Amino acid sequence: EISNYIFSLKDSNTDLYALLEVDKSASKEEIRNHYKRLAGKYHPDKSEGDERKFTEISNAYEILSDPKKRKILGLGLEGREI
């Protein structure tokens, strides 16, 4: 379940916003633009690619680009229950 995954991020101190190099107030378009730039940079098929980093960036984008998942992330990081 996605909410369990998102809450597990809280425990690991993973900052999805930092992974995509955006502010917490970033628009959907800003998040998409940063994701595209970083995904291109770290894609495993590139000579300087990094599969682990690419996967982290892709997971961050999946959550932050979806308003429902982003809301769950916000609730989890504030220590509230859904």
Side-chain angles (χ1 to χ4, degrees), residues 4-5 7 19 26-28 35 40 50 54 57 65 71 75-76:
N4 289 337
Y5 172 71
F7 286 128
L19 281 173
S27 69
K28 195 171 185 175
Y35 166 71
D50 182 335
F54 178 78
I57 290 166
S65 65
K71 183 177 180 180
L75 291 172

Side-chain angles (χ1 to χ4, degrees), residues 10-52:
K10 178 185 171 202
D11 295 334
S12 68
N13 293 320
T14 301
D15 185 347
L16 302 181
Y17 294 94
L19 281 173
L20 292 180
E21 300 174 0
V22 295
D23 292 332
K24 291 184 180 185
S25 62
S27 69
K28 195 171 185 175
E29 184 177 328
E30 289 174 302
I31 290 169
R32 182 176 49 84
N33 290 339
H34 279 253
Y35 166 71
K36 284 184 167 190
R37 180 179 56 79
L38 292 168
K41 179 179 179 180
Y42 292 108
H43 194 280
D45 291 344
K46 299 267 183 162
S47 62
E48 297 178 12
D50 182 335
E51 187 172 353
R52 184 186 58 79

